[in-house]
Amino acid sequence: MSDNQGPVWEIFLQKKAGQPFVHCGSLHAFDKEMALQNARDLYTRRNEGCAIWAVPSNAIVASSPEDIGPFFEPANDKVYRHPTFYQIPDAIGHM
Amino acid sequence: MEANKFEEVFESKLAKNEMVEPKDWMPENYRKHLIRQISQHAHSEIVGMLPEGNWITRAPSLRSKVVLLAKVQDEGGHGLYLYTAAETLGISRDELLNNLHTGKAKYSSIFNYPTLTWADIGAVGWLVDGAAIMNQVMLQRTSYGPYARAMVRICKEESFHQRQGFEIMTRLAFGTDEQKAMAQDALNRWWYPTMMMFGPPDSESPNSENAIKWRIKRETNDQLRQRFVNQTVPQIHYLGLTVPDQNLKWNEDKKGYDFSQPDWVEFKNVISGNGPCNKERLAARNKAHNDGAWVREAAQAFAKKRKEIYEAA
């Protein structure tokens, strides 16, 4: 039989309840239960997380580095989306 | 984009200290260099489990046993972080392991030396992990993103390794005369092999130039070796032990020690397969991999069965 290690999974950890899940690395596992167990053993030996997401690598859709210019371009000329675009009278103070 | 345009983007990333990510275009030689370096690094972590694993069942106390067990488990984890980083470059895990098991890929020469006494476990943690940390701290800022991120994680874990080694050395060095002699003997045997870990002198290091140019490495072999000596000699003095080098001398001009080079002929022999434990290590790795085949087969069969149950429900 082929000596395979199972498909690759991407692992995301939540450090503390309420915080976002952050990518920490990847691993091999044959199914989702094993992916979670392996993630626990590999990435949380020192309480680095209180919750884990395991996602099959091939399910991830990623932007292409070559296209990032045009892809993100629509946000470039919309300065009015930032609060600093607007002037608030001094008399009003903080808004 | 045209080919030279890709190259321009790559070069400008390096110039701006930005990281290269898996999907970015990269020169073929950069990719090859990284696969070689990261996989050697991963293999070193895995093979490095063997000389220390040798002492788990003979650790002198329960405390030292659980500590050593945790350390060896970490080394396995470090190997896995690095294998997955290498895999982002388009090489499979099976291929990586196969290169190790057939002797095609190399691992750090240091793990081809035997751990003869408990003091060797102290010396390995303190000196070998200490030298590894020096290299790895630099690699946290290496130009390839997945490698750099694996290094950040590894560095956080390594400092416990070095401290546990130094603790063992402290106990022996401040113990009975016999224990102190054991500590000195371990230092004598590990000092020069540890110095070899940084690689050949810059003047004879074939891969250094590209590694620096591509910001894979940020410091040369000789720079790192010098830093290691400067940092370690005061620790040796603290332990009341003697550096096994008659030429060791503080040099005020360079604010560092002058020291003897290790035997580079021995180094070449060890990396080309003729060190004291090369055959034993490779045989142990192959045996572990082959003996573990049933676990991989069972896990695969179990996953298939579980999937069928889910689908039927």
Side-chain angles (χ1 to χ4, degrees):
Chain A
M1 69 163 277
S2 83
D3 186 22
N4 92 59
Q5 315 275 330
V8 178
W9 301 68
E10 300 301 328
I11 306 302
F12 300 79
L13 286 184
Q14 186 185 38
K15 206 173 167 191
K16 283 188 189 138
Q19 292 190 352
F21 283 72
V22 178
H23 183 250
C24 67
S26 43
L27 51 77
H28 288 257
F30 288 103
D31 70 8
K32 52 190 180 183
E33 280 88 354
M34 292 184 225
L36 274 182
Q37 285 163 353
N38 290 355
R40 177 201 56 198
D41 292 347
L42 187 56
Y43 289 110
T44 64
R45 287 197 300 281
R46 291 173 176 79
N47 296 105
E48 288 91 340
C50 65
I52 300 172
W53 286 350
V55 182
S57 247
N58 60 13
I60 290 187
V61 185
S63 56
S64 312
E66 301 93 71
D67 302 334
I68 50 168
F71 190 72
F72 292 108
E73 195 277 330
N76 287 346
D77 57 356
K78 297 181 179 58
V79 284
Y80 45 85
R81 284 175 173 171
H82 297 277
T84 45
F85 180 73
Y86 304 92
Q87 291 213 332
I88 301 298
D90 286 348
I92 297 297
H94 182 74
M95 180 182 273
Chain B
M1 265 192 278
E2 294 154 42
N4 54 0
K5 177 82 177 155
F6 281 121
E7 191 143 12
E8 235 169 69
V9 173
F10 174 81
E11 295 289 345
S12 86
K13 272 199 175 188
L14 293 186
K16 284 187 286 189
N17 261 326
E18 285 175 10
M19 296 227 179
V20 178
E21 294 294 337
K23 290 186 83 182
D24 291 345
W25 182 90
M26 58 188 87
E28 208 39 44
N29 285 336
Y30 176 81
R31 184 187 299 276
K32 274 192 198 141
H33 186 108
L34 278 172
I35 289 177
R36 188 185 52 79
Q37 182 172 330
I38 302 173
S39 65
Q40 271 184 20
H41 199 158
H43 299 328
S44 301
E45 300 281 356
I46 301 294
V47 176
M49 296 167 82
L50 298 171
E52 294 187 301
N54 180 32
W55 277 91
I56 290 174
T57 54
R58 291 179 286 160
S61 69
L62 186 57
R63 181 182 183 274
S64 53
K65 184 172 180 160
V66 291
V67 168
L68 185 58
L69 202 55
K71 178 182 189 296
V72 173
Q73 190 188 11
D74 272 352
E75 307 297 2
H78 296 175
L80 294 177
Y81 305 154
L82 289 161
Y83 282 130
T84 49
E87 287 170 71
T88 63
L89 292 158
I91 183 165
S92 74
R93 178 75 61 91
D94 289 345
E95 205 177 338
L96 289 165
L97 289 178
N98 194 47
N99 288 346
L100 170 64
H101 295 151
T102 55
K104 193 180 156 201
K106 296 206 180 337
Y107 54 86
S108 178
S109 59
I110 194 85
F111 299 116
N112 291 314
Y113 291 87
T115 42
L116 302 177
T117 72
W118 176 248
D120 288 31
I121 298 303
V124 167
W126 167 45
L127 298 174
V128 174
D129 287 64
I133 290 170
M134 206 134 270
N135 192 36
Q136 287 166 344
V137 163
M138 164 191 76
L139 289 171
Q140 290 182 104
R141 296 184 302 129
T142 189
S143 60
Y144 187 57
Y147 191 25
R149 292 190 284 273
M151 279 304 131
V152 170
R153 186 169 277 278
I154 288 175
C155 283
K156 274 188 198 156
E157 300 182 352
E158 285 282 359
S159 73
F160 129 63
H161 297 179
Q162 194 186 11
R163 285 177 181 211
Q164 69 90 34
F166 192 66
E167 186 190 77
I168 293 171
M169 292 307 277
T170 311
R171 296 214 170 158
L172 293 172
F174 295 112
T176 63
D177 288 348
E178 209 182 349
Q179 286 174 317
K180 188 172 178 181
M182 222 167 103
Q184 182 66 54
D185 170 60
L187 172 61
N188 292 349
R189 283 181 291 109
W190 289 93
W191 177 251
Y192 288 105
T194 303
M195 305 263 260
M196 294 176 192
M197 288 176 67
F198 298 100
D202 296 349
S203 53
E204 290 158 41
S205 177
N207 298 313
S208 275
E209 199 183 322
N210 278 338
I212 297 275
K213 185 182 89 183
W214 287 323
R215 291 188 179 276
I216 294 173
K217 287 182 72 164
R218 289 169 172 264
E219 286 166 286
T220 68
N221 298 353
D222 286 335
Q223 285 170 329
L224 290 166
R225 190 166 16 247
Q226 179 72 54
R227 174 149 354 115
F228 174 78
V229 173
N230 293 351
Q231 183 187 288
T232 311
V233 167
Q235 295 168 1
I236 296 173
H237 290 157
Y238 171 84
L239 293 171
L241 301 178
T242 311
V243 185
D245 178 2
Q246 292 185 330
N247 298 319
L248 185 95
K249 201 167 151 248
W250 179 256
N251 180 334
E252 187 59 31
D253 291 338
K254 69 173 186 186
K255 300 275 177 220
Y257 288 94
D258 291 331
F259 57 91
S260 303
Q261 290 288 314
D263 179 350
W264 292 115
V265 176
E266 176 182 321
F267 174 75
K268 283 199 182 104
N269 276 329
V270 176
I271 55 169
S272 51
N274 300 314
C277 299
N278 295 56
K279 289 187 179 68
E280 188 187 328
R281 300 288 184 242
L282 215 52
R285 263 314 310 161
N286 273 290
K287 182 177 186 307
H289 187 73
N290 295 335
D291 289 355
W294 73 270
V295 179
R296 293 188 293 278
E297 284 165 28
Q300 198 168 7
F302 183 67
K304 189 168 167 254
K305 194 171 156 191
R306 193 148 55 182
K307 189 165 172 250
E308 283 162 9
I309 293 170
Y310 280 137
E311 281 168 359

